[in-house]
Amino acid sequence: MGTEKNFRKTAKTALTLVYLVIVAGAVVRMTGSGMGCPDWPKCFGYYIPPTEASQLEWQPEKDYKKGQVVIINEALQVAIKDFTTPSNFEPQNWEPYTKHKYAIFNPWHTWIEFINRLLGALAGLATLVLALLSIRYWKERKKITILSWVVVIAMGFQAWLGATVVYSVLNPFKITIHMVMALLIVAMLLYLIAICSDKKSIFKYDKLTLNLFVIALAFTLIQVVLGTQVREFVDTKIDLVGESEKGLWLQDPNIQFYIHRSFSILVTLLNLFIAYRIYKIGSGYSKINWVLLLILFEVISGMAMYYLDFPFATQPIHLVLASLLFGVQFYLVLEGYKSKISHKTL
């Protein structure tokens, strides 16, 4: 019993940290801080990033470590060894950074991105602890141990994806894959939380409700992907018209925007019907109330962005709400399947 309690507690901690990473990632996008650290896994070659531009200027008689970065003529130069600089800059001690040509230092962007990475590292550490705890289940419930280690691998892959996003200078497609991978990790952690408990289902099994749960989850995932594509369009517009012209960010939107907006109506109606059926037959899935509440705030934040020209923080709120909605709906699917298994054993 103690093993199960510690495992579930650690899994919930890891899940919380993963969601904090999603929140931090949303803030990174809102503030345009994605290239705050232009290298990976360090930040300008430092484990603790610089706070002032002067720290990235070449200076005479200064000790540099291998891998540390300076900005010379608007380009990143990387120290090829440990050395102390002479009175003049010597190119043979440096090599150009070749992953990309982005070489702008903004302390706010740097530290926002650094915090995002730090939370990612903490989430990775939590999943590693979870995997180590899962070894106790190996003899009786190998599935828990195997999936726990798959989560660790997935976190490593997610870190690699984060690096490719930086190296690509925030390629929109790679950002989308990065987001979908985060949701997959959320799903695996929720599954571990659900299956490590032997408690029987308290919900009434209904085949149609379970099928609708699965469809609603798929619709939400589609909406997330469409939403990231709309965000890609907005990012492109920001580059063209500037940060201050918010009223022009969604001018002449692409087809994905109209699909995303129209599809949200279908998502809302579907979940309202699911709630109606749950209440009608008394199946007891109370988390549907959270789904409806999250959809309400999701719709409000989406309308605010469009009609009120992107009020402060509505973009990250919209993304975080979508990820929370996905998590709650996925757990409803798990509860539905658990009630199905309990129904069969009666």
Side-chain angles (χ1 to χ4, degrees), residues 8 18 20 34 53 60 76 81-82 86-87 91 100 132 140 142 148 152 161 164 203 216 240 243 329:
R8 283 174 63 88
V18 169
L20 285 176
L76 299 179
K81 60 182 179 180
D82 296 352
S87 56
H100 55 73
L132 293 172
E140 298 178 354
K142 288 182 173 60
S148 297
V152 174
L161 281 175
T164 64
F203 305 107
L240 291 174
E243 292 278 353
Q329 288 179 313

Side-chain angles (χ1 to χ4, degrees), residues 122-150:
L122 290 174
L125 181 61
T127 59
L128 178 60
V129 172
L130 184 70
L132 293 172
L133 290 175
S134 74
I135 295 174
R136 300 177 183 178
Y137 288 98
W138 179 251
K139 290 183 179 180
E140 298 178 354
R141 306 179 70 183
K142 288 182 173 60
K143 179 166 64 173
I144 292 178
T145 305
I146 292 171
L147 185 58
S148 297
W149 285 101
V150 169

Side-chain angles (χ1 to χ4, degrees), residues 136-298:
R136 300 177 183 178
Y137 288 98
W138 179 251
K139 290 183 179 180
E140 298 178 354
R141 306 179 70 183
K142 288 182 173 60
K143 179 166 64 173
I144 292 178
T145 305
I146 292 171
L147 185 58
S148 297
W149 285 101
V150 169
V151 171
V152 174
I153 295 171
M155 288 295 290
F157 180 67
Q158 180 74 330
W160 175 80
L161 281 175
T164 64
V165 168
V166 173
Y167 296 154
S168 68
V169 193
L170 311 182
N171 177 274
F173 176 75
K174 292 183 178 181
I175 292 175
T176 299
I177 297 299
H178 197 48
M179 179 62 195
V180 172
M181 189 64 197
L183 295 181
L184 179 59
I185 292 170
V186 165
M188 288 190 289
L189 287 170
L190 285 171
Y191 184 67
L192 283 169
I193 291 169
I195 66 173
C196 72
S197 174
D198 291 323
K199 294 180 181 178
K200 290 185 178 181
S201 174
I202 60 173
F203 305 107
K204 180 179 178 180
Y205 172 63
D206 177 57
K207 183 178 180 180
L208 177 58
T209 301
L210 175 56
N211 291 337
L212 290 174
F213 282 161
V214 174
I215 294 171
L217 179 67
F219 279 13
T220 295
L221 188 58
I222 292 170
Q223 274 292 75
V224 168
V225 173
L226 287 171
T228 57
Q229 291 177 348
V230 173
R231 179 57 201 259
E232 291 165 14
F233 171 82
V234 171
D235 287 346
T236 302
K237 269 299 184 71
I238 292 173
D239 291 338
L240 291 174
V241 303
E243 292 278 353
S244 60
E245 298 294 335
K246 293 184 177 183
L248 302 177
W249 289 1
L250 274 175
Q251 188 179 57
D252 301 322
N254 56 10
I255 187 64
Q256 285 88 349
F257 167 78
Y258 293 107
I259 296 173
H260 181 64
R261 186 176 65 177
S262 300
F263 203 64
S264 65
I265 299 173
L266 182 59
V267 169
T268 303
L269 292 175
L270 174 60
N271 283 280
L272 283 172
F273 177 75
I274 293 172
Y276 166 75
R277 183 165 182 84
I278 289 172
Y279 300 146
K280 181 180 179 181
I281 66 176
S283 51
Y285 294 100
S286 60
K287 288 184 179 63
I288 191 64
N289 296 324
W290 283 102
V291 169
L292 296 181
L293 188 63
L294 287 167
I295 289 175
L296 174 63
F297 286 117
E298 185 79 339

Side-chain angles (χ1 to χ4, degrees), residues 320-340:
V320 172
L321 287 172
S323 65
L324 288 170
L325 176 62
F326 174 86
V328 176
Q329 288 179 313
F330 184 78
Y331 206 79
L332 277 172
V333 171
L334 295 177
E335 288 180 340
Y337 273 107
K338 195 167 186 177
S339 69
K340 179 181 180 179

